[in-house]
Amino acid sequence: MDRSPFEDYRRQFQPPVPAALAADHVTFKIGDPTESCEDQEQVKQFFPVTYGLPVLDMEIAEAPATPPAPIKMGVIFSGGQAPGGHNVLSGLYDKLHKINPENQLIGFIGGPSGLLDNKYVVIDADFIKPYRNMGGFDAICSGRTKIHTEEQFAASTATARLHQLNALAVIGGDDSNTNACLLAERFKADGLDTVVVGVPKTIDRDLMSPVGIDTSFGFDSATKVYASLIGNIETDCLSAKKYWHFVRLMGRSASHITLECALQCRPNICLVGEEVQAKGQSMEQVCQSMVDIIKARHQKGMNYGVALIPEGIIEFIPEFGVLIKELANIIGPAYDNGIIMTPEQVLPKLSEASQKVFAFVPPQFQLQLCTEPDSHGNPQVSKIETEKLLIAIIEQVLEADEELTSTKFFNTQSHFFGYEGRCVPPSNFDATYCYGLGQVAAILGVAQKTGYMACLRNVANHVSEWVPCGLPLTAMMNVEVRKNEAKPVIKKIMTDLSGRPFALFCSKREEWAQTDCYVNPGPIQYYDGEGPLRAVADRPTISLEEEARGRAQ
Amino acid sequence: MDRSPFEDYRRQFQPPVPAALAADHVTFKIGDPTESCEDQEQVKQFFPVTYGLPVLDMEIAEAPATPPAPIKMGVIFSGGQAPGGHNVLSGLYDKLHKINPENQLIGFIGGPSGLLDNKYVVIDADFIKPYRNMGGFDAICSGRTKIHTEEQFAASTATARLHQLNALAVIGGDDSNTNACLLAERFKADGLDTVVVGVPKTIDRDLMSPVGIDTSFGFDSATKVYASLIGNIETDCLSAKKYWHFVRLMGRSASHITLECALQCRPNICLVGEEVQAKGQSMEQVCQSMVDIIKARHQKGMNYGVALIPEGIIEFIPEFGVLIKELANIIGPAYDNGIIMTPEQVLPKLSEASQKVFAFVPPQFQLQLCTEPDSHGNPQVSKIETEKLLIAIIEQVLEADEELTSTKFFNTQSHFFGYEGRCVPPSNFDATYCYGLGQVAAILGVAQKTGYMACLRNVANHVSEWVPCGLPLTAMMNVEVRKNEAKPVIKKIMTDLSGRPFALFCSKREEWAQTDCYVNPGPIQYYDGEGPLRAVADRPTISLEEEARGRAQ
């Protein structure tokens, strides 16, 4: 990519680092042995080498008697992009170089497949320079290949052996870090000295740990992009007073992104998947709660509003999950025989409960659920534009409402924000956090610690108070059944319905629904000088701040 | 609205002003009489009072012998939101107050309907304070009511008379400013002293004049929002290398927004409506030109890219315009009789040429064109998601391509950016430009100049070189047939296919198509201190810069 004047400016940013990372040498304060968060006995079976490791806190130390031998380390981006990835690379490179200028860093290209195919590039000072503080993963690109077959593990070992890799950093989400831990085990089993460390990446923020991960990188910047756009839309909404804007936000599983945007922007409606699931709400109930707000505002002459919707919301509705499974069993076999079924043909084959749910889905979406199965014959729920589905259902509900003489007051605009935020140049927070994470990963690599996640604790505070540490990957695991097989996986951290961010939202949402409490957070500011703009530019997410307040109490 | 930390910071921004606006007194350097840009004789008939007025350049002057009497001025937002509107209000208020603290400003609420219904608010120092440098029009809101019936003109006169208004500022686009000029005439004809001045607002930038308007306000900020998002998407595209992203951009008429975004971001494909029209391209030709690029990149293993599409593009395709007219004549009468026709029923009733065009439209869009007529029975072209239509057609073309063994390489994501950018807090440029425009409008009001547009010339240069002036509204007019009636209207300024911005695009687009020249401009920076970030924050649009370079040669 060519660089804009903004990027030329931003590239000069020198992320501050906590004292332990600025120091020439660190030592590890070794904590107690850890346990996996659930299913301890089962997880232990899968990870004989890396299970039960202690948390490692890094502390400033004197120079060691014997300096560490030079190492060769590899790095991979795995999965979807998140702002700050390039700063993990620059942190890795800078720390490795500082520890020993003979240390080498290579980047595998295009994600895990680069490891399998031995496609790589040497990351040196000239290579990394144009990517400092830039968004994207384009320096070495990412990919979604999962290493799970015996051939793939063997290929990984072959590449690691070929390079005589001493360490490999895997920058990824829950699945990628589960894979990193399996690789750590495999390399040991194959007699390699290659240690594997993870770096917690995902804009979704469902990769956290009370022991070491306050937030995953990218969430700060991505939510700031989305919130700035929602703030603009709210301002537009209030200026024109003619539309309900339905905004779908990225995040298939957890609703962290949507909740954070709500806390920043104070919309009239915000759905939280975890709450819908916990309450066992039906599609009808979810929509009725929205209709109640729309009608209440209508009665006050306020025929406008903003609703935030996590993209995975319908999968959190229990009855909808049942419908999808039944549909798969009906349209799948037909599809295998080259037959696309119509909604009319499908309806009588559903259970009574699912018939009711299906009938509640507007015709064009019924059609979509039947006629666009994926190659496995499953309805493609992720292709449904949830915000449009909800609008269509709400229109039906309003039409059927006998209290209303007309539904003309309900005019809508729909939006989806996802790709817009994954590659924004990282905010001060993410640029600094990622640079630090890269340095921690380098230290773990040089110290030959395998099966660890590179972490920085206490990141809601000033960077001088951040605590670099290594967290055993197995400590975050539980066992889940995937494709009929029990598998150890890092447990996704969903929105905590008893946590402070959600409690704050609950305490305000009625007021936000009934009045106009909109806030426009503004676009990310990248200023790093002195003065009041610095506080604006450095402000972390509200979710992170609230959780830290909770812990401080 | 509540205010975010960013907004609290930004509210303190004090826009710089050119010397003539900082001065205590100005005088007018009176230019030669003007002519309308076309149809001079006809336009003259409509505007006996305001036709042929001279351009008025403002120059610093001594204090006048008799200070101007205090005035009461009204202000209206008309039409869609554009960043900077609140700064027009603050510029108006500050200048009026400075000229004479007894001057009064009132804002009519909800657009022109506020004038008709005499709904207003007094704009004083306390009222305006929270809105300084904020996005949106929410201080007094906007509306799309057009004043065209005798009753509406009479109601306008009644309100102006009731308030004994000396002046009225209309902040709007081409239609709203045409209306402003008609109001100026009507007030004179009704014996009122109320002068009417316009302020050039529209993110679309189709309201310009070689005599006085380099750009309309809002274009700078809105395109910077869109370009920052496109830049993020380009970075994502290059990191994952798996999708073609089709981005539709707001702008039904002119393609200025899309062209500016292309100049900032260097996408692989960018359609320009005016070029498609000038070349008389068919839908097939437009799509084939896109397919050629997609295939050429595919042959190089580059199965990704970014395409920018102005939302009005299909209305620039001549054959499509014919099809739409024929469809209206077929489905309209049927709709009036309660019948929704199917594409199969419609097809044989079309002309041979239109049958061919209609057959080229993918089925789901044929259905949309037939089954969703508006209340007048016309196909709702604006409801078509053009980016999805083009994707569907391109998929058909690729499927039919015998050179290709598979079309699986063409995977897409679609986006639409519009509402996200209209209410962003104004950039340094728009905040400063609008504050100055408000001051110019105040001066014109106090000086009792009617039928003028408040203007600042030379705005590609440093603010110290900006030239405040008044431009006769009639100078921008021509006569167009609207609903079978000849009407004077301000002529929309379309993309100049012989201008420098388009020439720059043409000289680069082949390179941008074949290689990855993406640039990420980054989000708007609001810094106004010293140092390199200031140059980034102050940078105007490339379109404006290029045109100024052209004039300087």
Side-chain angles (χ1 to χ4, degrees):
Chain A
M1 291 187 72
D2 290 323
R3 296 300 179 189
S4 65
F6 164 78
E7 290 180 313
D8 285 338
Y9 162 78
R10 181 62 175 172
R11 209 180 311 112
Q12 311 302 322
F13 176 61
Q14 184 56 49
V17 287
L21 295 181
D24 284 335
H25 308 282
V26 294
T27 186
F28 296 113
K29 185 183 148 196
I30 296 168
D32 292 328
T34 55
E35 295 262 30
S36 62
C37 63
E38 287 175 27
D39 312 313
Q40 290 80 6
E41 282 311 306
Q42 283 170 279
V43 174
K44 193 172 181 176
Q45 304 304 315
F46 286 103
F47 299 100
V49 175
T50 57
Y51 190 87
L53 293 170
V55 174
L56 301 173
D57 279 3
M58 296 180 189
E59 297 180 338
I60 300 174
E62 296 297 308
T66 5
I71 70 160
K72 186 171 185 180
M73 189 162 179
V75 59
I76 295 173
F77 285 129
S78 182
Q81 280 74 253
H86 287 146
N87 275 28
V88 178
L89 298 189
S90 59
L92 259 174
Y93 172 77
D94 287 354
K95 196 63 172 184
L96 284 176
H97 187 77
K98 188 177 173 190
I99 291 172
N100 188 335
E102 285 178 42
N103 283 339
Q104 280 183 283
L105 181 64
I106 62 173
F108 291 101
I109 292 173
S113 65
L115 178 68
L116 303 183
D117 304 337
N118 190 30
K119 286 193 183 160
Y120 70 97
V121 64
V122 173
I123 299 180
D124 57 18
D126 286 344
F127 178 87
I128 200 68
K129 195 176 165 191
Y131 297 104
R132 286 179 187 271
N133 307 307
M134 298 295 102
F137 283 2
D138 48 304
I140 56 174
C141 295
S142 186
R144 292 192 180 273
T145 301
K146 274 178 195 158
I147 298 173
H148 58 93
T149 67
E150 171 53 32
E151 288 72 22
Q152 289 174 317
F153 278 108
S156 304
T157 292
T159 303
R161 184 168 280 142
L162 183 73
H163 286 285
Q164 296 189 302
L165 277 190
N166 304 89
L168 176 68
V170 176
I171 303 168
D174 51 339
D175 275 351
S176 304
N177 277 293
T178 299
N179 227 221
C181 204
L182 291 168
L183 266 185
E185 291 284 339
R186 174 64 183 238
F187 287 160
K188 281 289 172 210
D190 286 347
L192 289 180
D193 292 331
T194 315
V195 302
V196 184
V197 299
V199 180
K201 171 228 74 173
T202 172
I203 64 165
D204 293 347
R205 202 176 184 241
D206 52 10
L207 179 57
M208 289 193 286
S209 161
V211 189
I213 312 176
D214 297 345
T215 193
S216 52
F217 83 75
F219 175 74
D220 186 273
S221 311
T223 52
K224 281 173 179 163
V225 171
Y226 306 144
S228 75
L229 300 178
I230 294 162
N232 292 345
I233 286 169
E234 286 178 342
T235 312
D236 202 299
C237 186
L238 196 60
S239 302
K241 297 187 172 171
K242 60 195 268 201
Y243 290 121
W244 269 91
H245 291 267
F246 279 55
V247 182
R248 171 169 49 119
L249 290 160
M250 206 171 241
R252 280 289 295 285
S253 304
S255 293
H256 298 292
I257 288 177
T258 304
L259 179 60
E260 172 65 25
C261 289
L263 293 174
Q264 289 194 33
C265 300
R266 307 180 191 173
N268 307 106
I269 293 173
C270 169
L271 301 181
V272 173
E274 292 85 340
E275 183 184 29
V276 167
Q277 188 174 44
K279 291 181 172 172
Q281 288 186 312
S282 67
M283 182 66 99
E284 198 169 348
Q285 287 170 321
V286 169
C287 290
Q288 190 59 52
S289 70
M290 300 175 83
V291 165
D292 290 343
I293 293 171
I294 292 163
K295 277 181 67 184
R297 290 176 65 87
H298 169 60
Q299 277 149 19
K300 288 185 274 191
M302 299 158 87
N303 294 317
Y304 59 90
V306 174
L308 305 189
I309 296 149
E311 67 172 332
I313 190 72
I314 51 179
E315 292 170 77
F316 282 90
I317 299 172
E319 60 174 24
F320 209 87
V322 175
L323 168 66
I324 294 301
K325 272 187 199 151
E326 290 187 26
L327 278 175
N329 288 331
I330 297 166
I331 64 169
Y335 185 70
D336 288 342
N337 293 322
I339 299 164
I340 301 274
M341 295 182 73
T342 66
E344 292 73 24
Q345 294 169 323
V346 165
L347 190 66
K349 297 183 190 289
L350 292 168
S351 69
E352 202 173 323
S354 288
Q355 282 189 7
K356 210 179 136 203
V357 181
F358 194 62
F360 196 67
V361 174
Q364 67 272 37
F365 294 95
Q366 288 182 350
L367 203 64
Q368 209 177 339
L369 285 172
C370 295
T371 53
E372 291 183 28
D374 65 16
S375 55
H376 306 290
N378 297 311
Q380 294 198 67
V381 183
S382 68
K383 279 208 173 175
I384 289 184
E385 295 173 301
T386 320
E387 73 286 14
K388 292 185 181 170
L389 170 64
L390 290 175
I391 288 171
I393 294 178
I394 288 169
E395 282 172 345
Q396 284 183 358
V397 174
L398 290 172
E399 288 288 347
D401 191 319
E402 291 177 358
E403 286 177 22
L404 297 170
T405 51
S406 164
T407 62
K408 280 194 181 150
F409 65 86
F410 184 61
N411 300 299
T412 58
Q413 294 289 341
S414 60
H415 313 264
F416 171 51
F417 299 137
Y419 294 94
E420 295 79 0
R422 308 196 314 171
C423 286
V424 70
S427 63
N428 280 358
F429 177 86
D430 271 328
T432 305
Y433 184 41
C434 289
Y435 188 70
L437 289 176
Q439 297 209 335
V440 173
I443 292 170
L444 290 170
V446 169
Q448 291 289 286
K449 302 293 181 186
T450 202
Y452 275 90
M453 183 80 95
C455 296
L456 282 160
R457 274 207 310 271
N458 220 16
V459 293
N461 291 18
H462 187 269
V463 65
S464 60
E465 298 173 43
W466 294 8
V467 180
C469 65
L471 170 69
L473 289 165
T474 52
M476 292 177 277
M477 294 201 188
N478 68 355
V479 170
E480 295 175 17
V481 176
R482 301 260 172 109
K483 294 183 181 168
N484 296 321
E485 209 177 334
K487 293 269 187 190
V489 288
I490 291 179
K491 192 182 174 188
K492 274 191 197 293
I493 305 300
M494 309 303 281
T495 301
D496 179 0
L497 299 182
S498 59
R500 279 181 67 112
F502 185 72
L504 177 60
F505 165 66
C506 289
S507 72
K508 299 285 187 184
R509 62 174 153 187
E510 187 60 23
E511 184 190 351
W512 298 351
Q514 299 301 330
T515 54
D516 297 331
C517 302
Y518 304 141
V519 173
N520 191 340
I524 301 177
Q525 299 300 295
Y526 292 88
Y527 181 65
D528 66 323
E530 300 300 314
L533 184 55
R534 181 60 183 265
V536 172
D538 279 359
R539 195 182 180 210
T541 56
I542 297 175
S543 302
L544 186 68
E545 271 182 339
E546 283 297 317
E547 286 164 358
R549 276 191 199 125
R551 280 194 294 273
Q553 282 180 347
Chain B
M1 290 186 71
D2 292 321
R3 295 300 180 189
S4 64
F6 164 78
E7 291 180 311
D8 286 338
Y9 163 79
R10 182 60 175 175
R11 207 179 315 109
Q12 312 301 323
F13 176 61
Q14 184 55 50
V17 287
L21 295 182
D24 284 336
H25 309 283
V26 294
T27 186
F28 296 113
K29 185 183 147 198
I30 296 168
D32 293 329
T34 55
E35 295 263 30
S36 63
C37 62
E38 286 175 27
D39 313 311
Q40 290 79 7
E41 281 311 309
Q42 284 169 275
V43 174
K44 196 173 180 175
Q45 304 302 316
F46 286 103
F47 300 98
V49 174
T50 57
Y51 189 87
L53 293 170
V55 174
L56 301 173
D57 280 3
M58 296 180 188
E59 297 180 338
I60 300 173
E62 297 297 309
T66 7
I71 70 161
K72 186 169 183 180
M73 189 160 180
V75 60
I76 295 173
F77 285 128
S78 181
Q81 281 74 253
H86 287 146
N87 276 28
V88 178
L89 299 188
S90 60
L92 259 172
Y93 172 77
D94 286 353
K95 195 65 174 183
L96 284 175
H97 187 77
K98 187 176 173 189
I99 291 171
N100 187 337
E102 286 178 41
N103 283 340
Q104 279 184 283
L105 181 64
I106 61 172
F108 291 101
I109 291 173
S113 66
L115 178 68
L116 303 183
D117 304 337
N118 189 31
K119 286 193 184 158
Y120 70 98
V121 64
V122 174
I123 298 178
D124 58 17
D126 285 344
F127 178 88
I128 200 67
K129 194 176 165 194
Y131 296 105
R132 288 180 187 269
N133 308 307
M134 298 294 101
F137 283 2
D138 48 304
I140 56 175
C141 296
S142 185
R144 292 192 180 273
T145 301
K146 275 177 196 159
I147 298 173
H148 58 94
T149 68
E150 171 53 31
E151 288 71 22
Q152 289 174 317
F153 278 108
S156 305
T157 291
T159 303
R161 183 168 281 141
L162 183 73
H163 286 284
Q164 298 190 302
L165 277 190
N166 304 90
L168 176 67
V170 176
I171 302 167
D174 51 340
D175 275 351
S176 304
N177 277 293
T178 298
N179 227 218
C181 203
L182 291 167
L183 266 184
E185 290 284 340
R186 174 64 183 239
F187 287 159
K188 280 290 171 209
D190 286 348
L192 290 180
D193 291 331
T194 316
V195 302
V196 184
V197 299
V199 180
K201 171 229 72 173
T202 172
I203 62 165
D204 292 348
R205 202 178 185 241
D206 53 10
L207 179 57
M208 288 194 285
S209 161
V211 190
I213 313 175
D214 298 344
T215 193
S216 51
F217 84 74
F219 175 74
D220 186 273
S221 310
T223 52
K224 281 172 179 165
V225 172
Y226 306 144
S228 75
L229 300 178
I230 294 163
N232 292 347
I233 287 170
E234 287 178 341
T235 311
D236 202 300
C237 186
L238 196 59
S239 302
K241 297 189 170 169
K242 62 195 265 200
Y243 289 121
W244 268 91
H245 291 267
F246 278 55
V247 183
R248 172 169 49 119
L249 291 160
M250 204 170 242
R252 279 290 294 287
S253 303
S255 295
H256 297 292
I257 288 177
T258 305
L259 180 59
E260 172 65 24
C261 289
L263 293 175
Q264 289 194 35
C265 300
R266 308 182 190 171
N268 307 106
I269 293 174
C270 169
L271 301 181
V272 173
E274 293 85 340
E275 182 185 30
V276 167
Q277 188 173 44
K279 291 182 173 172
Q281 289 185 312
S282 66
M283 183 65 101
E284 197 170 349
Q285 286 170 321
V286 169
C287 290
Q288 190 59 51
S289 71
M290 299 175 83
V291 165
D292 290 344
I293 292 170
I294 292 163
K295 278 180 66 183
R297 288 176 65 88
H298 169 59
Q299 277 150 18
K300 287 185 273 189
M302 298 159 86
N303 294 317
Y304 59 90
V306 174
L308 304 189
I309 296 150
E311 67 172 332
I313 190 73
I314 54 179
E315 292 169 78
F316 282 91
I317 298 172
E319 60 173 26
F320 209 87
V322 175
L323 168 67
I324 295 301
K325 273 188 197 147
E326 291 185 29
L327 279 175
N329 289 332
I330 297 166
I331 66 169
Y335 186 70
D336 288 342
N337 294 322
I339 299 165
I340 301 272
M341 296 182 72
T342 65
E344 292 72 25
Q345 292 168 326
V346 165
L347 191 66
K349 296 183 190 289
L350 293 168
S351 69
E352 202 172 326
S354 288
Q355 284 190 5
K356 211 179 136 204
V357 180
F358 194 64
F360 195 68
V361 174
Q364 67 270 39
F365 294 95
Q366 289 182 350
L367 202 65
Q368 208 176 340
L369 284 172
C370 294
T371 52
E372 291 182 28
D374 65 17
S375 55
H376 306 288
N378 296 311
Q380 295 198 66
V381 183
S382 68
K383 278 208 173 176
I384 290 184
E385 296 173 299
T386 321
E387 74 286 14
K388 292 184 182 172
L389 170 63
L390 291 176
I391 287 171
I393 295 178
I394 288 169
E395 283 172 343
Q396 285 182 358
V397 174
L398 290 173
E399 287 288 347
D401 192 319
E402 292 177 358
E403 286 176 22
L404 297 170
T405 51
S406 164
T407 62
K408 281 193 181 151
F409 65 85
F410 183 61
N411 299 299
T412 59
Q413 294 288 340
S414 60
H415 313 265
F416 171 51
F417 299 137
Y419 294 93
E420 295 80 359
R422 308 196 315 172
C423 286
V424 71
S427 62
N428 280 358
F429 177 87
D430 272 328
T432 305
Y433 184 41
C434 289
Y435 188 70
L437 289 176
Q439 297 210 334
V440 173
I443 292 170
L444 291 169
V446 169
Q448 291 288 286
K449 302 294 181 187
T450 201
Y452 276 90
M453 183 80 94
C455 295
L456 282 159
R457 275 207 310 270
N458 221 14
V459 292
N461 292 18
H462 187 268
V463 66
S464 61
E465 297 174 42
W466 294 8
V467 180
C469 64
L471 171 68
L473 289 165
T474 52
M476 291 177 278
M477 294 200 187
N478 67 355
V479 170
E480 295 176 17
V481 177
R482 301 258 173 111
K483 293 182 181 168
N484 296 322
E485 208 178 334
K487 293 268 187 192
V489 289
I490 291 178
K491 192 182 174 190
K492 274 191 196 296
I493 305 300
M494 309 303 281
T495 301
D496 180 1
L497 299 182
S498 59
R500 279 181 66 112
F502 185 72
L504 176 59
F505 166 66
C506 290
S507 72
K508 299 285 186 184
R509 63 174 151 186
E510 186 61 22
E511 184 190 352
W512 297 351
Q514 299 301 330
T515 54
D516 296 332
C517 302
Y518 305 141
V519 173
N520 191 339
I524 301 177
Q525 298 301 294
Y526 292 89
Y527 181 64
D528 67 323
E530 300 300 314
L533 184 55
R534 182 60 182 265
V536 172
D538 279 359
R539 196 184 179 208
T541 56
I542 296 175
S543 302
L544 185 68
E545 271 183 338
E546 282 297 318
E547 286 163 0
R549 277 192 199 123
R551 281 195 295 274
Q553 281 180 347

